[in-house]
Amino acid sequence: MTRHDSSISARSSRVFPPESRAAFARDYPEKPHVLRHRLRAEERLTLDALAALGEVLPPASIEYNRGDLPVGVEGKPDANGLTIGETIRHIVTSNSWAVLKNIEQVPQYQALLMDLLDELRPTIEATTGDMLTPQGFVFISSPNAVTPYHFDPEHNILLQLRGSKVMTQFPAGDPAYAPDTVHETYHLGGPRELPWHDGLLTGGTPFAIEPGEAVYVPVMAPHFVRNGSEPSISLSITWRSEWSYAEAGARCFNGIVRKLGVNPRAPGRWPASNRAKSLAFRAWRKAFGTAG
């Protein structure tokens, strides 16, 4: 894990207005909510700039596929037959979904990410402690593209920059929406895609966002996304906390002991401490050198 160094970011005018910072302070870290932002005319986030970024990032930092997907998928979707540059430059017609991962690898995008996170760091660190492992992801998707049902281990704010989308979120930590065994498999190296059936839909809360709006996603909150009728560009700014790492470690511990025939209790949601199981997993990993 890495700690956020505020000296990396250059100070600029605030992107999150006071009312959004107040809403974030009220609801972080467990309640999803919509925020306003002023990140509009940003040269680093145009289609041409993002296509160029995709062409210089390492292969492990790009992912793209067809966009006409169902909400529930098993495994990774099929490729679209294009390069990442072609996919992004022709996103209007390429029927695709793409993500550029860990954009902080490139200095100008690292500065953008840190500038945004630095605005929220006082609230984050007053609540969940040190801001760890800041990462940025850019999502570029064709009209009506779907991001299938999944979860992520980070605290996440998704800023909408172009087009519109609806993110439907489900209660984090509720096994009705993501079984404990699926959490364990994911943290031990499995996929993040989740099993889906239409009966789950009634438990979801849709958050519609347009340019100038953002949505906060709690750690491991299941969700899927439907793009609107125009091409979409979104920026995710994410970070980890000691709590999120302990929750992940506790899930790993549970996955290991479950293989031994034990039916372990699920980790608690924040502010519950999962430190004991997390430390036990770290000790097991140090002794045996593998996650499972």
Side-chain angles (χ1 to χ4, degrees), residues 84-289:
I84 185 63
E86 291 168 340
T87 296
I88 295 174
R89 290 188 178 94
H90 302 289
I91 199 66
V92 175
T93 58
S94 64
N95 182 28
S96 298
W97 171 94
V99 58
L100 307 180
K101 306 175 184 179
N102 301 114
I103 61 171
E104 69 280 358
Q105 297 171 87
V106 178
Q108 59 265 41
Y109 290 93
Q110 182 189 47
L112 173 63
L113 172 67
M114 296 305 190
D115 278 344
L116 293 169
L117 287 176
D118 209 37
E119 293 188 22
L120 303 172
R121 184 165 60 92
T123 292
I124 291 168
E125 297 195 337
T127 306
T128 54
D130 289 341
M131 178 190 291
L132 307 174
T133 321
Q135 295 177 314
F137 304 82
V138 181
F139 298 90
I140 310 99
S141 48
S142 295
N144 304 309
V146 170
T147 306
Y149 189 53
H150 69 287
F151 53 21
D152 302 293
E154 305 91 359
H155 306 274
N156 174 23
I157 297 175
L158 180 73
L159 293 85
Q160 190 66 14
L161 306 173
R162 174 179 173 178
S164 64
K165 58 181 48 173
V166 177
M167 175 187 285
T168 301
Q169 292 194 43
F170 297 79
D174 188 331
Y177 303 102
D180 292 332
T181 53
V182 175
H183 279 268
E184 295 157 13
T185 299
Y186 166 71
H187 284 297
L188 288 170
R192 69 185 61 215
E193 291 80 16
L194 296 171
W196 172 262
H197 59 83
D198 289 344
L200 297 174
L201 190 58
T202 57
T205 301
F207 295 89
I209 52 174
E210 298 181 346
E213 296 179 317
V215 59
Y216 171 70
V217 188
V219 169
M220 303 304 285
H223 58 281
F224 68 87
V225 184
R226 291 188 186 276
N227 201 30
S229 60
E230 300 292 331
S232 171
I233 301 176
S234 309
L235 169 65
S236 272
I237 58 172
T238 77
W239 63 98
R240 301 293 298 269
S241 60
E242 291 284 0
W243 180 86
S244 77
Y245 277 116
E247 193 268 352
R251 291 288 189 183
C252 291
F253 175 86
N254 282 1
I256 291 168
V257 301
R258 193 181 298 278
K259 294 176 182 179
L260 302 176
V262 177
N263 185 24
R265 176 182 296 180
R269 294 298 300 179
W270 189 90
S273 173
N274 300 300
R275 183 174 173 79
K277 284 185 176 181
S278 180
L279 291 174
F281 169 69
R282 293 180 192 180
W284 189 96
R285 184 174 57 186
K286 183 176 182 180
F288 296 98

